[in-house]
Amino acid sequence: MPELNEEEQNKPLSRHALDCISEAEQHFHMINTSNHDDYMPYCENLLVCAIEEQSDELFSLAYFYMMMYYATGNDCINTVSCGLEGIKYQRTVQDFKKLARSYNTLGVFYETMGDTTNAVDSLLSCIDVSIRHNLCYEHFMALSNLADIFYCNSNYDRAIYYYTEAEAYYNKSGKVFASERLNILTGLLCSKGNCMLSINKLDEANMCGNKILEKLGELEAYGSDFPMFTVYIFLACLAHANDNADECEKYIALARKGLDECSNYVCSINDIVYFSELLIKRARYDDAIDLLNHFIAMCEKDSAPFHVYSMLMERLIDCAELMNDNENYLKYTRLFIDAFKAWRTRDSGTALRAERLHNENMRMQKLQVEMNMQNEKLLMQSQHDTLTGLPNRAYLNSYAEETLEKAIRDNTYFGIEILDIDYFKHLNDNYGHMEGDNYLKAVAQLLENFTHRYTDVFAARYGGDEFVMIYYGKTDDEIREIMASLKDYTKTITLPHLSALGCPYLSLSQGCFNHIPSKVNRLWDFLSVSDVALYEVKQKGRNGYLLRNEFYSR
């Protein structure tokens, strides 16, 4: 997609666009409810509006909301695809908060797909953006997710380092709503506590547990979107480590109830794995098998990433092995191998799907380019003279007014020159209107060349055989030099016979007024003096130029 110029980027959004944004924001909560699928039309409306208005801001928002929609629907491929598209536009419009959150979401889903390299890179990119723009909450989220990756990869030292860093940035994220602050603190304490249990640091894990228990009533009272089963799973694991069987069983029951209602299992896969491992440790094999089969069935239904499926199957096989259940051990192993083969086959389908997504994105970008080119073409047609290609009178008036205002602000010279072709009617009568049009185009080409040769010089067709030149910040001598040069270059436009002036070439009459304007001056003041100067040139025989630098006395 071609870059928009500054004026296009700063173009205010239409009322329709603002309504689309408002609706997408107001209904955003739907992605975490049973009405999840009903949110997509709001995203689609925003995307269509972005294409129609060619707005990077709208593209940034549309892809961000679509990314979050797919993320809560366990659709990893589309989450990553929309996240990557959104990042392009978020950089352009400098929406650094959404840029950081997009990087964070990519990090989570890359890891879910088993792509740890891109996961870590995305989270570190989130941290980089957060540091540059003082986004403490986003910095915290990325640090916490980075710690989880190192923990799941058994790199406990790095995990603890990042958990500690995350706590520091949690304390700086004071602008977040109280309920959200409580949620993020709880999630951090659960993750850090599980890490401490893994390396047998029970005292440190108990410290995390005590902090959670202090806030447990408050957390439950908020009725927030935070998955409470995460808390119950950690407290159950902690109770088991402390040999507190009653507490452990209480929290296992609460956790299982919460997991039964969990739909966004992809983002909760680590909690599910921790819980299954706890059930296995407590020899509750049937419960572990029932839990694992429940989420494996969901994986198969949703064609979830093989990395998620494999984490569940590994625990199912472990469970059968610990039970000395050779029949099911072989059965689950065979299912795992068959699933791997199916995944390899499906992965080729995923590649085709990714290709289709890429081609669709390219198609949309091509559509954007075509619409942008069409808009530019229409704008060009509305602002330029059809015959000569020079700016027309409407464009001239707009440009001249803006340049006059600028000259007043800068206290510098503003000049207007009016020029026309000598005895143009005579040319039309002798050579025909088509040839007359060719002479108009030849003069227009000369004027356009002058606008490229000299800075702060603008040329337009005024009407008929009249043209206007605008000079900004030019001294009288500089303008006279340009007028003389234009007179000389006009001699290159030859005529088949001598003109009414007896010349074998085309000639011009030029009148200009150049002056430092004051706030009381108007465009007409300059045009009227230029017009008088042009009249004086014609009175003296034409084929000449005259510059005035003072208003005529009245």
Side-chain angles (χ1 to χ4, degrees):
M1 177 180 175
E3 291 186 6
L4 300 177
N5 60 40
E6 185 176 351
E7 182 179 351
E8 288 170 321
Q9 289 176 357
N10 295 329
K11 181 181 177 182
L13 298 176
S14 68
R15 168 47 55 189
H16 175 59
L18 294 174
D19 288 342
C20 286
I21 294 173
S22 178
E23 289 178 350
E25 290 175 346
Q26 288 176 11
H27 295 89
F28 185 61
H29 68 279
M30 292 171 64
I31 64 173
N32 293 312
T33 69
S34 58
N35 296 323
H36 172 273
D37 292 348
D38 295 335
Y39 184 68
M40 177 49 78
Y42 298 106
C43 299
E44 292 172 342
N45 289 342
L46 202 52
L47 188 59
V48 169
C49 190
I51 294 172
E52 291 175 348
E53 301 203 8
Q54 286 295 287
S55 167
D56 285 351
E57 180 181 353
L58 292 176
F59 279 115
S60 166
L61 291 171
Y63 282 117
F64 179 80
Y65 288 131
M66 289 171 71
M67 175 190 72
M68 298 307 297
Y69 167 82
Y70 287 122
T72 51
N74 303 306
D75 189 335
C76 295
I77 300 263
N78 278 319
T79 297
V80 170
S81 177
C82 290
L84 291 172
E85 283 299 312
I87 281 171
K88 299 175 188 176
Y89 296 102
Q90 288 147 17
R91 284 198 192 111
T92 301
V93 301
Q94 299 185 347
D95 189 344
F96 298 115
K97 180 173 285 191
K98 284 189 172 59
L99 176 62
R101 293 194 175 200
S102 293
Y103 274 128
N104 180 69
T105 302
L106 283 177
V108 171
F109 277 82
Y110 273 133
E111 179 62 16
T112 300
M113 296 166 72
D115 188 350
T116 300
T117 300
N118 274 323
V120 171
D121 181 67
S122 297
L123 292 171
L124 289 175
S125 294
C126 175
I127 290 171
D128 290 340
V129 173
S130 300
I131 291 173
R132 286 197 299 270
H133 302 285
N134 196 30
L135 302 172
C136 294
Y137 178 49
E138 288 71 20
H139 195 159
F140 158 80
M141 288 195 298
L143 287 168
S144 183
N145 288 324
L146 199 55
D148 288 345
I149 290 176
F150 282 106
Y151 166 44
C152 292
N153 285 276
S154 302
N155 196 326
Y156 301 117
D157 289 341
R158 294 303 291 166
I160 291 172
Y161 166 77
Y162 282 115
Y163 282 132
T164 303
E165 286 287 296
E167 281 187 277
Y169 276 91
Y170 162 78
N171 293 326
K172 296 179 182 179
S173 60
K175 293 183 180 179
V176 182
F177 289 116
S179 59
E180 193 168 354
R181 277 179 59 81
L182 186 59
N183 288 350
I184 61 180
L185 174 62
T186 304
L188 173 63
L189 291 172
C190 289
S191 298
K192 184 178 180 182
N194 280 317
C195 182
M196 293 300 178
L197 287 175
S198 296
I199 55 178
N200 299 316
K201 290 190 174 183
L202 186 57
D203 290 342
E204 288 85 347
N206 279 324
M207 289 176 62
C208 294
N210 290 333
K211 290 179 181 178
I212 291 174
L213 289 170
E214 289 173 7
K215 300 289 185 180
L216 188 58
E218 187 180 353
L219 189 66
E220 292 173 331
Y222 268 120
S224 64
D225 294 330
F226 185 78
M228 287 300 299
F229 58 78
T230 297
V231 175
Y232 299 140
I233 289 169
F234 167 62
L235 292 177
C237 291
L238 186 62
H240 176 78
N242 285 305
D243 294 324
N244 190 333
D246 291 341
E247 283 288 299
C248 182
E249 291 301 321
K250 179 181 79 171
Y251 288 123
I252 283 177
L254 290 170
R256 183 56 202 261
K257 182 180 178 183
L259 284 173
D260 285 341
E261 300 170 356
C262 172
S263 58
N264 191 12
Y265 61 91
V266 169
C267 290
S268 302
I269 187 61
N270 289 331
D271 288 326
I272 296 167
V273 168
Y274 301 153
F275 191 56
S276 66
E277 290 174 343
L278 174 63
L279 293 174
I280 292 171
K281 286 177 185 176
R282 297 190 65 77
R284 293 180 57 168
Y285 302 120
D286 290 340
D287 290 333
I289 292 171
D290 180 60
L291 173 80
L292 293 166
N293 279 328
H294 171 73
F295 286 107
I296 287 170
M298 293 180 72
C299 285
E300 292 171 343
K301 173 178 170 290
D302 298 334
S303 298
F306 183 74
H307 179 68
V308 173
Y309 179 85
S310 65
M311 292 173 72
L312 299 170
M313 285 299 299
E314 285 175 27
R315 273 69 190 180
L316 195 60
I317 292 169
D318 289 344
C319 193
E321 184 178 18
L322 289 169
M323 295 172 66
N324 295 317
D325 185 348
N326 291 331
E327 181 180 350
N328 277 324
Y329 179 82
L330 293 173
K331 173 186 172 183
Y332 298 146
T333 302
R334 171 52 57 189
L335 284 173
F336 183 79
I337 293 171
D338 290 344
F340 177 74
K341 291 179 179 178
W343 170 75
R344 289 291 297 273
T345 302
R346 191 168 68 239
D347 198 42
S348 65
T350 301
L352 290 171
R353 185 182 176 197
E355 183 185 41
R356 286 196 300 271
L357 284 171
H358 174 79
N359 290 337
E360 178 63 16
N361 284 331
M362 293 302 294
R363 187 188 69 80
M364 291 179 65
Q365 289 183 26
K366 183 181 178 182
L367 178 62
Q368 293 166 24
V369 170
E370 290 173 351
M371 289 181 65
N372 200 38
M373 290 175 64
Q374 183 65 21
N375 289 338
E376 288 178 359
K377 183 178 179 181
L378 291 172
L379 181 63
M380 178 71 72
Q381 290 174 350
S382 69
Q383 292 183 335
H384 288 74
D385 176 56
T386 306
L387 175 65
T388 65
L390 285 178
N392 58 22
R393 189 162 183 169
Y395 189 5
L396 166 66
N397 290 338
S398 174
Y399 178 87
E401 291 285 1
E402 290 177 4
T403 308
L404 176 59
E405 290 177 8
K406 183 180 178 184
I408 293 172
R409 288 196 306 271
D410 298 345
N411 192 34
T412 191
Y413 285 101
F414 173 76
I416 290 186
E417 174 186 344
I418 302 177
L419 58 106
D420 63 15
I421 300 173
D422 292 331
Y423 295 111
F424 183 68
K425 184 178 183 303
H426 184 266
L427 293 176
N428 267 339
D429 292 342
N430 285 348
Y431 306 123
H433 288 282
M434 288 186 64
E435 193 63 23
D437 286 348
N438 289 334
Y439 289 127
L440 287 173
K441 287 189 280 187
V443 171
Q445 186 61 57
L446 274 181
L447 297 180
E448 185 175 356
N449 292 343
F450 270 61
T451 64
H452 297 308
R453 185 178 306 160
Y454 299 97
T455 59
D456 296 318
V457 175
F458 175 89
R461 186 180 181 191
Y462 200 48
D465 64 317
E466 284 190 321
F467 298 87
V468 169
M469 307 228 358
I470 303 293
Y471 301 102
Y472 170 79
K474 300 292 185 187
T475 65
D476 293 349
D477 288 341
E478 287 174 325
I479 294 178
R480 287 191 184 99
E481 180 185 335
I482 294 172
M483 296 174 80
S485 181
L486 179 58
K487 178 183 177 182
D488 289 340
Y489 271 96
T490 308
K491 294 177 182 178
T492 62
I493 306 174
T494 59
L495 300 172
H497 305 98
L498 294 178
S499 70
L501 292 175
C503 302
Y505 49 78
L506 204 67
S507 63
L508 304 174
S509 294
Q510 305 167 252
C512 181
F513 178 52
N514 190 44
H515 191 76
I516 297 177
S518 65
K519 291 182 179 180
V520 298
N521 292 140
R522 297 294 179 263
L523 186 60
W524 177 249
D525 299 331
F526 282 76
L527 282 167
S528 61
V529 179
S530 298
D531 195 41
V532 172
L534 174 62
Y535 178 75
E536 291 182 41
V537 172
K538 291 184 177 183
Q539 289 293 97
K540 293 178 182 179
R542 306 176 189 260
N543 190 20
Y545 60 89
L546 175 65
L547 181 142
R548 295 289 186 185
N549 54 21
E550 293 294 340
F551 288 104
Y552 289 97
S553 58
R554 299 178 182 177

